[in-house]
Amino acid sequence: DMTQVLEMIFGLADGKSLTLSVASPKLNVTETEIDQAMQTIITSGAFVRDGQAIVAKKTARIVERNVTEFVVN
């Protein structure tokens, strides 16, 4: 069973990083869509950690994970 997570990594005002993860992003999401979403997050000011605002986009990636479950008694 394959799962995907979109990880968006931002820079905070204090120089640290913040990662926002979105489970099951839409199929064929584009770099432009991710870039626009990240800019909207920065502009909104909705996310703050330890009083530090998000001030920059660092990177984004889709992480795929393949899970095989086994039935055990």
Side-chain angles (χ1 to χ4, degrees):
D1 192 25
M2 179 72 72
T3 60
Q4 289 188 334
V5 175
L6 169 62
E7 295 181 345
M8 297 175 285
I9 297 95
F10 296 90
L12 299 174
D14 62 1
K16 294 182 181 177
S17 295
L18 172 71
T19 301
L20 294 178
S21 299
V22 178
S24 302
K26 77 175 192 174
L27 292 176
N28 303 316
V29 65
T30 67
E31 284 186 32
T32 301
E33 290 170 320
I34 294 168
D35 185 69
Q36 290 172 347
M38 291 178 78
Q39 188 58 52
T40 298
I41 289 167
I42 293 171
T43 303
S44 73
F47 295 94
V48 176
R49 186 178 71 198
D50 298 330
Q52 301 297 315
I54 295 173
V55 296
K57 297 175 277 188
K58 285 191 154 185
T59 190
R61 59 189 174 216
I62 291 180
V63 178
E64 293 183 345
R65 190 174 75 156
N66 194 5
V67 178
T68 302
E69 293 190 31
F70 297 95
V71 177
V72 295
N73 295 322

